[in-house]
Amino acid sequence: MSVLEVAGLRTHFFTRAGVVKAVDGVDFTLQRGEVMGLVGESGSGKTVTGFSILGLVDPPGRIVGGSIRYRGEELVGAPDERLRELRGNRIAMIFQDPMMTLNPVLRIDTQMVEAIQAHERVPKKAAWERARDGLGQVGIPSPEERLRAYPHQLSGGMRQRVTIAIAFLNAPELIIADEPTTALDVTIQAQIIYQAQKVCRERGAAMIWITHDLAVVAGLADRICVMYAGRIVEAGPTDDVIDRPLHPYTVGLLGSVPSANKRGQRLNQIPGMTPNMLALPKGCAFRERCARAGDACLAEPGITEPAAGRALRCFHPHGIEVPA
Amino acid sequence: MSVPLIEVRGVTKHFVKRLDLAGKIARRLGADVDEEVVHAVDAVDLAVRPGEVVGLAGESGCGKSTLGRMMAGILPPTDGEILFEGIAASEMSGAQRRAATLAVQMIFQDPFASLNPRLRVEQIIGEAPLVHGLVDRGGLSDYVDDIMRNVRLDPALKRRYPHQFSGGQRQRIGIARALAVRPRFLVCDEAIASLDVSIQAQVLNLFMDLREEFDLTYLFISHDLSVVEHIADRVVIMYLGRIVESAPTEQLFSAPRHPYTQALLADVPRLDQRKHDFSPVAGEIPSPLDPPPGCHFHPRCPHAMPICRTQQPVLREIAPGAFSACHLDGNSGT
């Protein structure tokens, strides 16, 4: 059974200025031990997708349709108590800003022991030992000492490691990581990715890595979903999506990444800017920035499966090489 | 070789945290408290030739922004000299100094914080050229239109306020403001870091176009090595206030010499390297309050030798145009 099955998820925000369809029809499934990269620019709905899975969408936002099944169990509309049982226990989240996750006035050990005891009847000493081992596993030197520290005494990379350790404390089956390395330096980013990758492999946990940086998930994810204006416009195995992108937006995104073979040349930029979510164009939301758009794009493109394991929402995809 | 457009010699910046009252009293009473000194930039030499794009990269806290701000003239160095076209700032006449100040402009990271929210775009762009007599009041409107077109902004939007623009457009306004005084040297401090990937590409392309149109010279500061690799002719890597390596871009990325550069490059995620096992460099950047003695990188360096702990390696030319500060390169440290 797949760990997570999201089908037709729609999360809308009912603001005074109008309805923002932040997530508008997202489908994907996640198998045990699989790492999925959810890629998109700001405002594409990738974070709201993560929040919806955890039931963390606050008013004026609301899940208005679709289903989220964790091991077959429907989470949309599930009682708060059940969601609280799952959150931080079976499903964990790592946020972008570790200072938002950690309580600044509590010591690290207090917060970690609390996270364990909230879900399990464990004596304090055993919980403390588990917290210590958890810190060791994410590469924190002298974990006993660090447990007695307050968050402000740790560096940014250290704090993010603590939040990863907390996320993994109860051996969750699903981890949602929302841009956990965006605020960090490359060397620290590499360390965090390394630790997350290692712990996932050892525990067989599935992970959704939300990011705007295709290069990060290229080295990490098994599968990539590209989001644009609240929808997944392209999905598939990492190598396929990066080597043979089909959707013009994915092609544009890849062309925007500076890499060695294009040194000194103009980048293949996408014209225009991300659309206003309050006034999305009719039909394909990417239409106005797309060079391949035609009259057909005035209608909404449905999901097609142009090759095994791939999904696409486009009437005019780039050439697809069919393996002989 | 031509005279460098801008050159810094032995430039040092220390930030001193003054003692508060309690600290002063404690010291009077004989307690062992001292003022904390952050060695942000430590005796750095760097020359930028006309027309060149120099990329300055390093982790946060390595002093790259401080060096950029000193070169832009908005932060006075604690020690050392800054020369513009071979003339030190201290030896310039008033007119020369004004010309030099105008010729060097800066573009900031945060397009939300660096634009005055109470001014219209035309005021933001037009204020400086008017004050400096580059344009008179009658020609100002056309001048602003021209500058806006240069950065691919619609002049029809010039009566608007900054909050009515998106992040990418605001960054263009910041670039327009810098261009309005016809600079020759631009310091871009993480100028595209806060933008979305597709907008980053647009602004990066704009920088490259402007370079050709206006014959600009850039110091491009970024923590993102792939951006630096893309735009720069020469790359300078800093670590804890010192330059550890400097080389033509091609050379630095294909054959990095300094162990720190090697580690940094290995950690950059790339589209063409997939599913690899990350093997990150150990440890974190030490506190600049108390940098390690000798080579600053030795606690994290896989090749550290006894000499690295005691003696600071000097930056030496190891190949034509390529400099590295490492004892592995037969560096005697003298």
Side-chain angles (χ1 to χ4, degrees):
Chain A
M1 193 195 300
S2 40
V3 175
L4 188 74
E5 231 174 299
V6 175
L9 178 67
R10 284 159 61 226
T11 306
H12 295 180
F13 288 79
F14 299 88
T15 67
R16 255 195 288 176
V19 180
V20 176
K21 297 177 178 175
V23 176
D24 200 27
V26 160
D27 311 76
F28 61 84
T29 53
L30 204 59
Q31 305 301 327
R32 208 182 118 76
E34 191 179 27
V35 179
M36 185 185 98
L38 193 58
V39 185
E41 295 184 280
S42 42
S44 63
K46 53 194 195 302
T47 296
V48 177
T49 304
F51 274 45
S52 301
I53 295 168
L54 283 166
L56 289 177
V57 179
D58 286 327
R62 184 150 57 81
I63 298 177
V64 294
S67 86
I68 301 167
R69 284 172 188 277
Y70 164 74
R71 299 187 136 275
E73 179 188 344
E74 180 61 57
L75 297 188
V76 176
D80 283 350
E81 300 88 78
R82 178 59 187 149
L83 288 174
R84 260 202 300 279
E85 256 170 55
L86 290 172
R87 272 199 296 257
N89 187 19
R90 311 315 315 144
I91 307 175
M93 187 147 184
I94 306 167
F95 297 89
Q96 177 170 354
D97 182 358
M99 262 337 234
M100 259 173 58
T101 332
L102 298 173
N103 187 330
V105 297
L106 294 181
R107 289 195 329 204
I108 302 293
D109 53 359
T110 320
Q111 306 191 38
M112 293 187 81
V113 166
E114 189 182 34
I116 296 172
Q117 291 187 325
H119 297 287
E120 244 180 287
R121 288 180 65 90
V122 194
K124 197 161 177 208
K125 188 155 183 303
W128 192 87
E129 278 163 7
R130 221 160 94 189
R132 183 197 57 202
D133 298 345
L135 286 189
Q137 274 171 354
V138 293
I140 291 182
S142 51
E144 281 101 346
E145 243 169 75
R146 301 297 180 163
L147 271 177
R148 281 189 288 272
Y150 287 92
H152 74 267
Q153 295 171 307
L154 306 177
S155 67
M158 230 21 128
R159 278 180 216 148
Q160 196 57 289
R161 262 183 263 220
V162 170
T163 64
I164 292 178
I166 292 176
F168 279 99
L169 268 182
N170 296 311
E173 277 181 295
L174 173 63
I175 292 152
I176 300 167
D178 185 8
E179 306 242 18
T181 61
T182 307
L184 305 174
D185 277 315
V186 269
T187 54
I188 311 301
Q189 166 172 287
Q191 292 172 6
I192 298 283
I193 294 176
Y194 165 76
Q195 298 298 350
Q197 195 177 39
K198 190 174 121 218
V199 185
C200 265
R201 277 184 195 162
E202 283 168 3
R203 307 267 182 85
M207 180 156 72
I208 301 176
W209 190 280
I210 300 171
T211 179
H212 67 277
D213 191 345
L214 268 167
V216 166
V217 284
L220 174 70
D222 303 302
R223 216 149 47 82
I224 290 182
C225 294
V226 181
M227 276 193 88
Y228 188 79
R231 297 201 172 125
I232 292 177
V233 293
E234 176 161 11
T238 303
D239 286 346
D240 289 1
V241 172
I242 287 173
D243 292 334
R244 291 175 295 277
L246 301 173
H247 199 286
Y249 177 64
T250 317
V251 175
L253 214 50
L254 285 165
S256 298
V257 180
S259 71
N261 49 28
K262 286 175 284 193
R263 180 177 304 158
Q265 285 172 31
R266 281 180 64 88
L267 293 166
N268 233 327
Q269 66 184 46
I270 307 176
M273 25 179 194
T274 39
N276 179 358
M277 294 300 285
L278 277 168
L280 281 182
K282 233 172 79 81
C284 174
F286 187 59
R287 178 166 54 92
E288 284 163 359
R289 304 174 75 185
C290 181
R292 302 168 79 92
D295 289 342
C297 304
L298 287 168
E300 212 165 275
I303 302 172
T304 52
E305 199 186 326
R310 301 195 68 172
L312 182 70
R313 273 182 195 268
C314 183
F315 292 116
H316 306 109
H318 281 256
I320 181 168
E321 284 135 298
V322 186
Chain B
M1 205 159 70
S2 59
V3 181
L5 183 65
I6 195 156
E7 188 179 3
V8 296
R9 287 194 193 145
V11 155
T12 299
K13 183 73 194 177
H14 291 170
F15 291 105
V16 181
K17 188 187 163 206
R18 303 255 167 241
L19 287 177
D20 56 6
L21 184 65
K24 279 183 185 153
I25 292 169
R27 189 158 65 171
R28 274 281 172 79
L29 298 173
D32 185 23
V33 281
D34 273 319
E35 292 177 335
E36 290 187 330
V37 179
V38 176
H39 302 256
V41 175
D42 193 9
V44 162
D45 300 305
L46 180 64
V48 183
R49 289 191 297 277
E52 195 180 26
V53 177
V54 173
L56 184 57
E59 291 177 278
S60 46
C62 72
K64 55 188 193 302
S65 285
T66 306
L67 179 61
R69 280 164 182 262
M70 286 192 289
M71 289 176 85
I74 59 176
L75 199 66
T78 310
D79 197 16
E81 264 188 322
I82 299 172
L83 294 86
F84 187 77
E85 294 194 305
I87 309 169
S90 53
E91 292 160 15
M92 284 182 190
S93 66
Q96 274 178 321
R97 183 169 308 159
R98 198 151 64 221
T101 317
L102 274 185
V104 181
Q105 291 296 320
M106 186 152 182
I107 291 160
F108 300 90
Q109 168 169 7
D110 187 350
F112 291 83
S114 59
L115 302 176
N116 187 335
R118 290 171 178 272
L119 292 186
R120 296 181 192 276
V121 170
E122 60 180 347
Q123 291 169 300
I124 291 173
I125 299 173
E127 189 179 26
L130 192 66
V131 168
H132 290 285
L134 294 170
V135 62
D136 54 26
R137 218 163 258 288
L140 182 64
S141 181
D142 289 339
Y143 187 76
V144 169
D145 287 1
D146 270 351
I147 297 285
M148 285 183 78
R149 265 181 230 114
N150 283 330
V151 298
R152 324 300 185 240
L153 275 175
D154 185 355
L157 307 177
K158 69 178 177 182
R159 306 264 315 146
R160 294 199 182 173
Y161 289 97
H163 74 265
Q164 295 171 294
F165 292 89
S166 69
Q169 285 175 318
R170 284 180 196 220
Q171 199 54 289
R172 283 166 201 265
I173 297 170
I175 297 168
R177 177 178 60 183
L179 284 180
V181 293
R182 302 193 193 123
R184 294 164 59 199
F185 181 62
L186 284 183
V187 176
C188 311
D189 187 5
E190 301 275 8
I192 62 165
S194 61
L195 306 174
D196 261 324
V197 186
S198 69
I199 310 299
Q200 265 189 11
Q202 290 175 359
V203 177
L204 212 50
N205 281 341
L206 178 65
F207 274 123
M208 288 159 77
D209 295 344
L210 292 175
R211 178 193 184 187
E212 292 202 353
E213 275 172 55
F214 296 97
D215 205 16
L216 290 170
T217 306
Y218 292 131
L219 179 72
F220 210 90
I221 302 169
S222 179
H223 70 283
D224 188 340
L225 281 161
S226 52
V227 168
V228 167
E229 180 182 11
H230 189 79
I231 195 167
D233 303 318
R234 190 155 60 91
V235 177
V236 175
I237 306 281
M238 278 184 82
Y239 188 73
L240 272 184
R242 293 177 188 161
I243 292 177
V244 295
E245 184 163 4
S246 153
T249 309
E250 197 86 23
Q251 202 172 332
L252 186 115
F253 281 88
S254 59
R257 290 294 291 261
H258 197 280
Y260 177 62
T261 315
Q262 290 169 2
L264 209 55
L265 291 185
D267 285 346
V268 177
R270 310 188 70 100
L271 282 177
D272 44 14
Q273 283 169 14
R274 269 166 254 157
K275 282 275 130 194
H276 70 296
D277 288 300
F278 289 88
S279 51
V281 54
E284 297 186 24
I285 192 163
S287 162
L289 276 174
D290 182 24
C295 173
H296 284 343
F297 188 57
H298 81 256
R300 300 169 81 183
C301 182
H303 312 290
M305 308 176 284
I307 186 175
C308 304
R309 282 178 250 284
T310 53
Q311 221 161 33
Q312 176 192 345
V314 281
L315 194 65
R316 291 195 331 164
E317 189 158 16
I318 41 161
F323 298 81
S324 171
C326 181
H327 288 301
L328 284 175
D329 285 308
N331 200 314
S332 61
T334 45

